[in-house]
């Protein structure tokens, strides 16, 4: 830098002015060169970027060509269509909804799948009233006009405030084991138990009412749900006005599509968890179904419906064409005892009547007696009237499973049955009289069949919505009842006293020597219940294991009975393979002490 003398002189000031002028001119010249260089650099960058983009485009084209060529060279391209069709059918046997996935793979596969009506013939749908019914219409259209239909639809009736995960819906958990929730509202399993069920979950609107994936409710809602596409939804959102209007008509639209194809129904199962706005659409289910083998309409919650004319309510003189119907299930839906639907020589019959349905016992027996080939019978009537006509002894030679629940007068119905092939007996009736005579007389009349499963009041003792007066496991003399049950493998008891039951199972001569599973629910202990429980397990499951006169227990359930303690639960777990134990929610002894 040029240094000027101090103090400034005329000469130095003149030189400074000259230097300033020259420096300004140089800066202007340098800035011009910088701008030119930057412009040249920008041009090079633009050209390079353009070149790179062109090269990337060429690369993408080449990669797409490679992918398409490799796909063309793939061995599956050379697979004959008939063989590919057979592969699709094998997938269909294991995954009923596979057609939706296969149709989305590629154009040729989609064209092939759409030409295979059989692969669209099993409808497995979990939906809500806010979803579109067009899924059902599309499914039916793709199944053609002649292929028999196998239909299972589970409708989750939702409301803005509903939520299955609400903390208030769960019972207090015990420290010893995780408390199992109360039995689900469904009393019937989904078909094909043991095989993974696959369902399509219907597309919901953008802001539907919150729903949760079903846990098999008459089912348990299928154990595994695959082959499904879940739309984005938010549990806290409320349905819009448009969605609310559409939910009012879902049943009318969906049932209309389904009823139009009744002539092709082979199986029809429709389950819903509560009453919905368009429920009356079920009256469209009427007419002939020449291929129908299984029919079910079930609700998880009871309600009060007006009667409408549909298959189960058909007049007695109606000429229904149901030549193949063998399985019928109606749960909390209206029906008439005289409907021709009950005169098709069924193999499986399950009826859970509405609370307002009070039939005389002779009419209930009329339904049963008209189906002599029954192998499984389930009856549940919360109200039943005394018989008008005399009850005649009724032999059902093929029945293996009998389940009776509800009003105490149904015990009179059991007193006229003769069931020589009975294998499983479940009783959940209202408590009035001891049941051991009813059970013993039934087995005696039936020539003492090899009963392997017995359940008494095991399902209803924790059902707070029942109409019962209390637990119904009233047994006065356990030794007298259990003495002849030499083939019994599973025993489920609710609402009885622990002490005499456990004493009967732990003393010689051994009762139920084949017993492998024991369940008790809401069974109170008089004082030594826990001691006798330990003694029973010690007697039947000694250590080391020995080949004794009785089989070892493999499963032990103790729900809401005596307070056993964590140490006793741990000991039980060391002797029995599967142990489930929950503590009672209140101390019965303290409650009784307050009355003393």
């Amino acid at each position: 830098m040029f240094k000027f003398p101090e103090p400034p002189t005329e000469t130095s000031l003149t030189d400074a002015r000259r230097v300033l002028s020259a420096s300004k001119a140089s800066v202007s010249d340098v800035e011009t060169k910088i701008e030119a260089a930057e412009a040249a650099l920008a041009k090079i960058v633009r050209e390079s970027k353009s070149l790179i983009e062109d090269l990337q485009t060429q690369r993408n084209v080449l990669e797409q060509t490679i992918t398409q060529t490799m796909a063309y060279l793939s061995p599956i391209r050379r697979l004959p269509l008939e063989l590919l069709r057979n592969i699709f059918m094998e997938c269909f046997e294991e995954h009923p909804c596979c057609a939706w996935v296969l149709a989305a793979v590629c154009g040729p596969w989609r064209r092939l799948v759409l030409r295979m009506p059989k692969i669209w013939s099993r409808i497995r749908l979990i939906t809500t009233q806010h979803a579109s019914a067009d899924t059902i219409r599309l499914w039916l259209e793709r199944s053609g006009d002649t292929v028999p239909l196998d239909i299972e639809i589970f409708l989750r009736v939702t409301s803005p405030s509903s939520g299955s995960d609400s903390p208030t819906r769960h019972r207090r958990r015990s420290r010893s084991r995780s408390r199992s929730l109360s039995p689900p509202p469904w009393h019937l399993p989904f078909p094909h138990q043991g095989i993974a069920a696959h369902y399509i979950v219907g597309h919901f609107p953008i802001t539907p009412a919150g729903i949760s994936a079903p846990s098999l409710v008459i089912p348990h809602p299928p154990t595994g749900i695959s082959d499904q596409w879940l739309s984005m939804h938010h549990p806290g959102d409320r349905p819009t006005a448009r969605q609310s209007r559409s939910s009012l008509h879902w049943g009318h639209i969906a049932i209309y599509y389904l009823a139009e194809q009744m002539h092709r129904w082979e199986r029809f199962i429709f389950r819903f968890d509560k009453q919905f706005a368009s429920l009356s659409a079920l009256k469209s289910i009427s007419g002939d179904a020449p291929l129908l083998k299984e029919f079910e309409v079930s609700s998880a919650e009871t309600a009060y419906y007006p009667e409408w004319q549909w298959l189960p309510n058909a007049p007695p003189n109606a000429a229904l064409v149901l030549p193949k119907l063998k399985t019928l299930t109606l749960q909390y839906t209206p029906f008439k005892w005289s409907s021709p639907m009950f005169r098709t020589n069924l193999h499986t019959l399950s009826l859970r009547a509405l609370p307002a349905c009070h039939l005389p016992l002779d009419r209930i027996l009329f339904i049963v007696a008209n189906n002599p080939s029954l192998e499984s019978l389930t009856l549940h009537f919360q109200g039943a009237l005394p018989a008008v006509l005399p009850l005649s002894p009724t032999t059902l030679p093929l029945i293996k499973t009998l389940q009776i629940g509800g009003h105490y007068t149904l015990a009179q119905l059991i007193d006229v049955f003769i069931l020589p092939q009975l294998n499983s007996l479940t009783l959940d009736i209202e408590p009035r009289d001891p049941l051991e005579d009813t059970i013993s007389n039934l087995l005696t009349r039936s020539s003492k069949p090899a009963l392997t499963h017995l359940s008494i009041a095991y399902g209803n003792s924790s059902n707070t919505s029942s109409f019962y007066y209390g637990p119904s496991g009233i047994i006065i003399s356990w030794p007298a009842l259990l003495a002849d049950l030499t083939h019994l493998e599973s025993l489920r008891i609710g609402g009885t006293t622990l002490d005499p039951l456990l004493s009967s199972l732990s003393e010689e001569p051994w009762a139920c020597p084949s017993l492998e599973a024991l369940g008790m629910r809401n069974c109170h202990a008089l004082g030594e219940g826990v001691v006798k429980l330990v003694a029973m397990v010690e007697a039947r499951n000694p250590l080391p294991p020995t080949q004794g006169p009785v089989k070892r227990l493999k499963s032990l359930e103790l729900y809401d009975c005596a307070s056993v303690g964590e140490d006793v639960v741990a000991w039980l777990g060391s002797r029995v393979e599967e142990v489930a134990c929950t503590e009672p929610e209140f101390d019965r002894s303290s409650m009784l002490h307050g009355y003393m």
Side-chain angles (χ1 to χ4, degrees):
M1 177 181 292
F2 183 78
K3 294 183 179 180
F4 299 99
E6 294 292 342
T9 62
E10 289 293 335
T11 302
S12 63
L13 291 174
T14 302
D15 292 339
R17 292 186 183 96
R18 187 178 64 253
V19 170
L20 178 60
S21 176
S23 298
K24 289 182 177 180
S26 297
V27 168
S28 177
D29 184 51
V30 171
E31 288 180 347
T32 302
K33 292 180 179 179
I34 290 174
E35 292 175 357
E38 288 178 345
L41 178 60
K43 181 179 179 181
I44 293 173
V45 170
R46 286 195 302 271
E47 292 176 351
S48 298
K49 286 185 176 179
S50 178
L51 179 60
I52 291 173
E53 290 176 356
D54 291 341
L55 293 175
Q56 288 176 339
T57 302
Q58 294 179 23
R59 182 187 63 185
N60 293 339
V61 172
L62 291 173
E63 288 178 348
Q64 187 176 5
T65 302
I66 291 173
T67 301
Q68 293 176 349
T69 305
M70 291 178 64
Y72 182 78
L73 295 174
S74 175
I76 200 170
R77 287 278 186 173
R78 301 190 295 274
L79 201 64
L81 288 182
E82 287 303 319
L83 185 55
L84 188 60
R85 187 190 301 269
N86 291 339
I87 293 174
F88 287 176
M89 290 305 300
E90 289 294 327
C91 293
F92 171 67
E93 293 301 325
E94 289 193 24
H95 307 278
C97 302
C98 69
W100 296 95
V101 179
L102 297 175
V105 173
C106 61
W109 281 27
R110 180 178 181 83
R111 288 190 292 272
L112 178 59
V113 169
L114 293 179
R115 293 198 302 268
M116 298 174 61
K118 176 67 175 178
I119 210 172
W120 299 94
S121 63
R122 293 181 185 173
I123 297 179
R124 301 289 186 270
L125 181 63
I126 299 174
T127 186
T128 75
Q129 75 272 28
H130 302 296
S132 173
D134 284 339
T135 302
I136 297 175
R137 175 188 59 79
L138 189 60
W139 218 321
L140 293 171
E141 288 178 353
R142 293 180 177 181
S143 66
D145 298 322
T146 59
V147 178
L149 294 174
D150 185 341
I151 302 169
E152 292 182 17
I153 298 176
F154 178 38
L155 177 66
R156 298 300 303 270
V157 183
T158 61
S159 61
S161 60
S162 66
S164 60
D165 296 330
S166 174
T168 60
R169 293 177 180 260
H170 294 273
R171 302 170 60 190
R172 180 176 60 84
R173 299 181 181 274
S174 68
R175 294 179 299 171
S176 58
R177 288 291 175 99
S178 296
R179 173 176 297 278
S180 64
L181 298 180
S182 298
W186 300 105
H187 302 272
L188 302 167
F190 264 105
H192 314 304
Q193 288 294 316
I195 302 177
H198 298 82
Y199 290 76
I200 288 293
V201 177
H203 288 277
F204 307 127
I206 301 301
T207 56
I211 64 168
S212 59
S215 56
L216 277 195
V217 200
I218 279 185
H220 288 291
T223 54
I225 302 175
S226 59
D227 297 348
Q228 57 181 263
W229 300 307
L230 289 172
S231 299
M232 294 300 294
H233 60 283
H234 307 280
D237 292 340
R238 292 177 178 271
T240 64
R242 181 182 62 82
Q243 295 161 11
S244 298
R245 288 194 300 270
S246 65
S247 67
L248 295 175
H249 306 294
W250 182 91
H252 296 288
I253 299 171
I255 299 299
Y256 169 78
Y257 291 142
L258 294 167
E260 286 291 303
Q261 303 297 325
M262 276 190 63
H263 61 283
R264 293 201 288 141
W265 287 3
E266 189 173 68
R267 292 179 67 247
F268 180 81
I269 296 176
F270 177 57
R271 295 172 176 173
F272 50 97
D273 48 11
K274 64 179 70 173
Q275 189 171 5
F276 55 98
S278 51
L279 181 64
S280 60
L282 291 175
K283 64 184 179 182
S284 300
I285 301 178
S286 61
D288 299 334
L291 303 180
L292 187 62
K293 298 179 180 178
E294 180 176 355
F295 181 85
E296 175 183 340
V297 177
S298 298
S299 172
E301 291 185 3
T302 184
Y304 295 88
Y305 310 125
E307 287 193 1
W308 56 71
Q309 291 297 324
W310 66 318
L311 279 181
N313 264 352
N317 57 352
L320 296 182
V321 179
L322 300 168
K324 297 185 178 181
L325 183 62
K326 298 303 177 185
T327 301
L328 176 59
T329 301
L330 299 173
Q331 177 163 299
Y332 294 141
T333 52
F335 65 87
K336 287 184 178 179
W337 65 276
S338 57
S339 172
M341 200 174 196
F342 297 116
R343 301 197 300 269
T344 57
N345 202 16
L346 298 167
H347 291 177
T348 301
L349 175 61
S350 179
L351 295 178
R352 181 172 286 265
L354 291 166
C357 179
H358 295 176
L359 289 180
L361 289 179
D362 55 305
R363 291 185 173 179
I364 299 176
L365 184 61
F366 176 84
I367 296 175
V368 176
N370 274 280
N371 296 278
S373 298
L374 279 172
E375 298 177 4
S376 176
L377 175 63
T378 300
L379 298 174
H380 191 284
F381 289 81
Q382 292 183 3
L385 301 176
V388 177
L389 300 176
L391 299 179
S392 302
T394 302
T395 301
L396 300 170
L398 302 179
I399 275 199
K400 297 180 180 179
T401 301
L402 176 64
Q403 300 181 34
I404 303 291
H407 200 262
Y408 70 94
T409 58
L410 292 175
Q412 302 176 29
L413 201 62
I414 303 173
D415 290 338
V416 300
F417 283 155
I418 301 174
L419 313 174
Q421 298 295 324
L422 186 63
N423 180 264
S424 174
L425 177 62
T426 300
L427 300 178
D428 284 311
I429 60 177
E430 185 180 298
R432 288 295 178 91
D433 300 310
L435 293 175
E436 61 263 34
D437 289 342
T438 298
I439 298 173
S440 298
N441 292 337
L442 170 64
L443 298 179
T444 301
R445 285 194 310 274
S446 304
S447 302
K448 295 188 176 181
L451 192 68
T452 60
H453 173 77
L454 175 63
S455 175
I456 303 175
Y458 193 70
N460 290 326
S461 54
S462 62
N463 188 351
T464 58
S465 64
S466 69
F467 282 65
Y468 307 135
Y469 300 109
S472 53
I474 302 178
I475 300 295
I476 301 299
S477 175
W478 281 107
L481 175 62
L482 301 179
D484 295 330
L485 301 180
T486 57
H487 301 280
L488 195 67
E489 300 176 0
S490 173
L491 177 62
R492 300 283 188 267
I493 300 296
T496 191
T497 305
L498 274 179
D499 304 52
L501 171 61
L502 296 175
S503 297
S504 301
L505 293 174
S506 56
E507 300 173 353
E508 297 185 12
W510 294 104
C512 307
S514 302
L515 189 66
E516 296 182 344
L518 175 62
M520 294 166 285
R521 188 185 298 274
N522 283 69
C523 295
H524 57 281
L526 295 179
E528 297 184 351
V530 177
V531 175
K532 292 187 176 182
L533 173 65
V534 173
M536 185 272 295
V537 174
E538 175 72 20
R540 302 184 79 99
N541 287 33
L543 285 181
T546 59
Q547 293 292 335
V550 295
K551 290 186 177 181
R552 295 179 65 86
L553 279 178
K554 297 181 180 179
S555 174
L556 177 63
E557 298 176 359
L558 198 68
Y559 296 120
D560 300 336
C561 297
S563 297
V564 297
E566 295 181 358
D567 53 343
V568 176
V569 173
W571 183 87
L572 293 174
S574 67
R575 295 296 184 99
V576 184
E577 294 180 11
E578 298 180 2
V579 176
C581 181
T582 61
E583 302 288 345
E585 293 188 358
F586 57 90
D587 188 352
R588 291 186 177 86
S589 61
S590 63
M591 183 188 71
L592 294 174
H593 180 72
Y595 290 93
M596 296 178 64

